[in-house]
Amino acid sequence: MTPFDTSSLVLLLFAALGILGGNTSITIAVLVLLLLRVTNLHQTFPWLEKYGLSWGIVILTIGILTPIASGKTSLQDLLHSFLHWKSLLAVGVGVLVAYLGGRGAALMSSQPTVVTGLLLGTILGVTFFRGVPVGPLIAAGILSLLVAK
């Protein structure tokens, strides 16, 4: 694998989109992947493909739970939040998103041809609509509802 082949050029294009869109998440992710390629550490790619999503979810969950761990959100605050209709709606939406993410993971595993389109759509959404790159699983879940047999 040469450091600057077609894959590297595509990654550079995504880095440019990240820079133009002012999205540091995409830019940093692409630059890390390019660094792994040019330093001949591309043998980490299978590991990242297999475990990267799981580790990303763990890191995201740590960020979400930090206010509880730091004491900024108490048990009383959590219990009180379930008395408000918006919080109850949030629980329902959370369940729906988790369900869609599960369907999306299954679709991405069973039909890898859709992954490219989902990734491109997510990168465009992150770059131009200030999105967050957690969309491929949910997008795949929604797609699974649309294309389900």
Side-chain angles (χ1 to χ4, degrees):
M1 179 181 336
T2 60
F4 287 99
D5 55 13
T6 306
S7 297
S8 294
L9 292 175
V10 170
L11 287 173
L12 286 170
L13 173 66
F14 288 158
L17 286 173
I19 291 168
L20 290 173
N23 193 299
T24 56
S25 299
I26 289 291
T27 307
I28 291 170
V30 169
L31 293 177
V32 166
L33 291 171
L34 284 169
L35 183 65
L36 290 174
R37 287 179 64 83
V38 298
T39 59
N40 207 26
L41 292 174
H42 58 273
Q43 61 267 28
T44 61
F45 289 166
W47 186 90
L48 287 171
E49 287 178 33
K50 186 172 182 179
Y51 301 109
L53 180 62
S54 296
W55 278 101
I57 291 170
V58 168
I59 292 169
L60 180 63
T61 304
I62 289 169
I64 291 169
L65 294 175
T66 298
I68 295 171
S70 69
K72 289 182 180 176
T73 301
S74 68
L75 179 60
Q76 183 178 5
D77 294 333
L78 288 172
L79 293 175
H80 182 70
S81 72
F82 286 103
L83 300 176
H84 195 274
W85 70 270
K86 287 182 183 178
S87 295
L88 293 174
L89 185 59
V91 170
V93 169
V95 169
L96 176 63
V97 167
Y99 170 73
L100 289 174
R103 285 186 63 111
L107 179 74
M108 291 171 80
S109 296
S110 68
Q111 297 183 33
T113 56
V114 303
V115 173
T116 304
L118 292 168
L119 292 175
L120 181 59
T122 299
I123 289 170
L124 292 172
V126 167
T127 302
F128 296 111
F129 300 105
R130 299 274 184 221
V132 178
V134 295
L137 280 179
I138 306 308
I142 293 168
L143 180 63
S144 76
L145 293 175
L146 298 174
V147 300
K149 295 177 182 171

